[in-house]
Amino acid sequence: WAACAAVGVVLAFVATSALAADNATQSAVAEQDLEASRILYEMANVLAKAPAMSVTIRSGYDAIQEDGQRIEFGEKRRITLQRPDRLRVDVQRSDGDKGQILFDGKTITAFRAEDNVFARVEKNGTIDEILVFMVKDLQMTMPLARMFLTNFPQGLEKQVTSISYVEEDYLFDVPTDHVAARSAEVDLQVWVTQGAQPLPRRVVITYKNAEGEPQFWAEFSDWNLSPNIAGDTFSFTPPSGAEQIPLLAPVRQKGSLPAQEGDKQ
């Protein structure tokens, strides 16, 4: 009986320890989720509240072929904006094609270097209003457009269903926090710079409801929240021989992704 009693005490101790460990694990997960939320929303608020910014974005996306094969296409964009109503996007695609999109507060200008053509649309508004207009009305390709809206944090709150902390990542030139989030349509991963300016360094979006679950990724560099912006940055001077076309029509890329939260990838 003494032996049985001893075994019972040991089993009870093991069970209690396992329960305590399980509770500790659950507590750690809950704390990680809170920390992940803090990191993600601090990043979103920094972007939303910045009066001006410039950044280079190199990105790629899967184009699922009819036979199921994944083919990746990409581009590099240099974005400069000055709130409330100035925007410039310089684009170079993986096939070498270059272009520009400029907004000076009154006019949207799109230029396509390969054909040496440009188009203009008269439109007043803020950067928020112009980005929505370009994506929804003009069907223009503006990857990650929502990240540059002043309501970016509110958009995340509305759509994100879960957030978790993955790890502290040391593969960039500065330490980053790797955060994963989910919504009904996509899985999102973001690597956020640690420190006083929590800015995104990498984003991966998986379109889990689309055929083949294609991915879009982007890497951010040369962030500047106090850029020295020249007076003619948002003005367009047509190159020699450039032809103005009457309508700002969307140009299809080789393959496409489903729209992510209203952004045309």
Side-chain angles (χ1 to χ4, degrees):
W1 287 103
C4 289
V7 171
V9 170
V10 171
L11 291 176
F13 175 76
V14 171
T16 302
S17 298
L19 180 60
D22 185 57
N23 289 337
T25 299
Q26 291 181 1
S27 177
V29 170
E31 290 177 1
Q32 277 194 344
D33 290 344
L34 289 174
E35 178 67 3
S37 296
R38 180 192 66 78
I39 292 167
L40 185 64
Y41 288 110
E42 278 191 2
M43 176 207 74
N45 277 293
V46 166
L47 295 180
K49 294 178 180 179
M53 69 178 73
S54 61
V55 63
T56 298
I57 307 175
R58 184 174 181 270
S59 62
Y61 62 93
D62 293 333
I64 307 299
Q65 307 301 297
E66 292 183 0
D67 62 0
Q69 183 179 11
R70 294 171 181 264
I71 301 295
E72 182 178 292
F73 297 97
E75 64 182 27
K76 182 169 68 174
R77 292 179 176 242
R78 180 65 180 174
I79 296 178
T80 305
L81 66 83
Q82 188 173 49
R83 292 190 168 108
D85 58 1
R86 299 289 189 276
L87 175 68
R88 177 182 179 126
V89 183
D90 294 281
V91 185
Q92 180 175 358
R93 296 189 173 87
S94 54
D95 63 1
D97 190 16
K98 295 181 180 180
Q100 289 179 331
I101 300 171
L102 302 103
F103 175 60
D104 62 3
K106 298 180 180 179
T107 305
I108 302 170
T109 303
F111 171 67
R112 182 176 169 86
E114 183 178 24
D115 301 319
N116 200 22
V117 297
F118 67 97
R120 284 177 167 155
V121 172
E122 301 296 323
K123 182 72 175 177
N124 295 321
T126 64
I127 292 174
D128 286 9
E129 293 166 338
I130 291 304
L131 284 173
V132 172
F133 176 74
M134 288 193 298
V135 170
K136 291 187 175 180
D137 294 273
L138 300 180
Q139 294 291 295
M140 296 175 67
T141 302
M142 289 293 294
L144 302 175
R146 284 190 179 271
M147 291 186 68
F148 300 97
L149 300 180
T150 56
N151 66 354
F152 180 39
Q154 293 77 13
L156 284 175
E157 289 178 357
K158 183 178 179 180
Q159 299 197 25
V160 168
T161 58
S162 68
I163 307 174
S164 58
Y165 189 89
V166 180
E167 65 176 357
E168 192 172 18
D169 191 308
Y170 293 93
L171 296 182
F172 295 92
D173 56 338
V174 293
T176 61
D177 291 307
H178 182 183
V179 174
R182 310 195 82 181
S183 74
E185 300 294 329
V186 304
D187 285 346
L188 170 68
Q189 298 180 72
V190 188
W191 286 256
V192 182
T193 302
Q194 295 180 354
Q197 286 191 338
L199 296 168
R201 294 299 301 271
R202 178 175 170 84
V203 168
V204 176
I205 300 171
T206 303
Y207 298 84
K208 56 189 179 183
N209 295 335
E211 185 177 354
E213 296 191 357
Q215 285 190 331
F216 169 89
W217 63 267
E219 292 186 346
F220 303 79
S221 61
D222 303 322
W223 274 109
N224 190 340
L225 300 187
S226 300
N228 184 14
I229 299 176
D232 61 351
T233 297
F234 307 102
S235 301
F236 177 72
T237 301
S240 176
E243 177 187 359
Q244 182 171 355
I245 58 177
L247 295 176
L248 195 62
V251 178
R252 289 189 174 274
Q253 298 185 34
K254 301 182 181 70
S256 62
L257 279 181
Q260 187 265 327
E261 299 177 359
D263 304 350
K264 294 291 181 181
Q265 305 292 0

